[in-house]
Amino acid sequence: MIERSALVLYAVAIGVALAFYVGPFRHAAARIASDAAVSKRDQSVIDEDRRLLRQASALRSLQDRVRSAIRSPLQADSSGKGQAGFFERLHAVARGQSVTLTTILQGTEKSATSKASLASMPMKVTVVGRLSGVLRFLSAIDASVGLVDFGEIEIHPATVKEGDASAVAVRISGTFLKVRTPEGMGDR
């Protein structure tokens, strides 16, 4: 009989202990589920904020590129003196990359309206040299001009005076963009 009463006593003690632990456990489980939902919502907000920050960073990068292009000393110009300076700077970039600039053909300036602040100037440039030098030349133009669109690039084998078999002639058709300042301030 004592064994039965000890067993009953243990059962009652376990029942009381479970009553004290199961209630808070259910409450804790509900609280954990609620916290997980809040955490998931917070994570989605954080992901959206990160996406917006990436977009803002990309816009900032574009803004910096446009700002540097506006100040660029290598922008195309439609005036005679401006064109001469532009062509000289283009030749200097070519010499710096060990390529020969053989032809430059410049089209007429186009803008959407007569008061537009952005105008395009079609250009055709032919460069002769080693392919690596020509690629460095294209990269240097893109880096120094900032606003240039290479529309079509044709690559053909070429022979130079030294008989270099790895020389290529590259014809580039593209558009250089020109930023104009308001009236009275001149072109940049």
Side-chain angles (χ1 to χ4, degrees), residues 127-129 154-160 164-170:
V127 181
V128 176
E154 298 175 22
I155 301 174
H156 303 284
T159 56
V160 290
D164 186 3
S166 63
V168 293
V170 179

Side-chain angles (χ1 to χ4, degrees), residues 74 88-101 125 127-144 150 164 166-168 170 172:
L74 195 55
E88 178 56 38
R89 288 187 298 273
L90 203 58
H91 276 287
V93 171
R95 280 190 303 270
Q97 302 307 324
S98 302
V99 296
T100 304
L101 194 57
V125 177
V127 181
V128 176
R130 297 182 75 111
L131 182 59
S132 60
V134 171
L135 293 176
R136 284 192 312 271
F137 170 74
L138 293 176
S139 180
I141 287 177
D142 192 39
S144 60
F150 296 121
D164 186 3
S166 63
V168 293
V170 179
I172 306 142

Side-chain angles (χ1 to χ4, degrees), residues 20-183:
F20 282 107
Y21 288 112
V22 169
F25 177 75
R26 285 185 187 156
H27 176 70
R31 179 107 187 215
I32 288 172
S34 171
D35 288 348
V38 168
S39 177
K40 190 173 184 178
R41 242 181 316 170
D42 289 347
Q43 186 62 40
S44 68
V45 168
I46 289 171
D47 291 342
E48 179 65 19
D49 288 347
R50 285 181 179 157
R51 186 186 65 78
L52 289 173
L53 283 173
R54 281 192 302 270
Q55 286 179 341
S57 176
L59 288 174
R60 174 62 109 182
S61 174
L62 178 62
Q63 181 184 20
D64 291 343
R65 186 173 178 202
V66 168
R67 185 178 298 126
S68 68
I70 288 172
R71 296 186 184 125
S72 172
L74 195 55
Q75 284 190 35
D77 197 347
S78 59
S79 68
K81 184 178 179 183
Q83 282 181 348
F86 170 73
F87 294 148
E88 178 56 38
R89 288 187 298 273
L90 203 58
H91 276 287
V93 171
R95 280 190 303 270
Q97 302 307 324
S98 302
V99 296
T100 304
L101 194 57
T102 58
T103 60
I104 302 173
L105 299 173
Q106 182 176 355
T108 58
E109 181 179 323
K110 299 175 187 174
S111 62
T113 64
S114 61
K115 293 186 179 186
S117 59
L118 190 64
S120 63
M121 191 165 297
M123 305 273 288
K124 291 186 180 188
V125 177
T126 305
V127 181
V128 176
R130 297 182 75 111
L131 182 59
S132 60
V134 171
L135 293 176
R136 284 192 312 271
F137 170 74
L138 293 176
S139 180
I141 287 177
D142 192 39
S144 60
V145 172
L147 295 175
V148 62
D149 177 30
F150 296 121
E152 184 178 317
I153 299 176
E154 298 175 22
I155 301 174
H156 303 284
T159 56
V160 290
K161 294 177 186 174
E162 296 84 30
D164 186 3
S166 63
V168 293
V170 179
R171 186 175 317 146
I172 306 142
S173 299
T175 304
F176 288 81
L177 300 176
K178 175 181 166 190
V179 180
R180 292 191 279 185
T181 58
E183 302 253 347

